[in-house]
Amino acid sequence: SNPVTHVSGAVYYAPSGSGTSMQAQFMGMPPGTHCKFWLVTKAGQHVLVDTWVVVAGHEGHWYQVSSHVPPDQVKSFDVTAGNGPALVSFPA
């Protein structure tokens, strides 16, 4: 969780084919927030995994997504509002 933004959540990830599958849940974002979910590689590359708009009443929704990045190359995960700074980050 991030005490400054009041956003929290969880990310679970596992190998999937030649990449990584993820289940992610976020809470504390106001309805209407345009969110981006990023996977950060050990080389520092930010890979956009998914985008969505927070809908009222969907607090705690689980997102199932995947990436071509292998799990052993994952450093962390970030959630941003648009192109802004991270609302919350999760180490791998």
Side-chain angles (χ1 to χ4, degrees), residues 26 28-35 52-59 63 79 87:
F26 310 104
M29 293 178 254
T33 303
H34 293 262
C35 297
W52 69 92
V53 176
V54 176
V55 177
H58 284 162
E59 182 85 348
Y63 297 89
V79 177
L87 297 172

Side-chain angles (χ1 to χ4, degrees), residues 63-79:
Y63 297 89
Q64 297 196 13
V65 295
S66 62
S67 172
H68 67 280
V69 177
D72 65 348
Q73 295 303 308
V74 177
K75 177 182 176 186
S76 62
F77 305 94
D78 292 337
V79 177

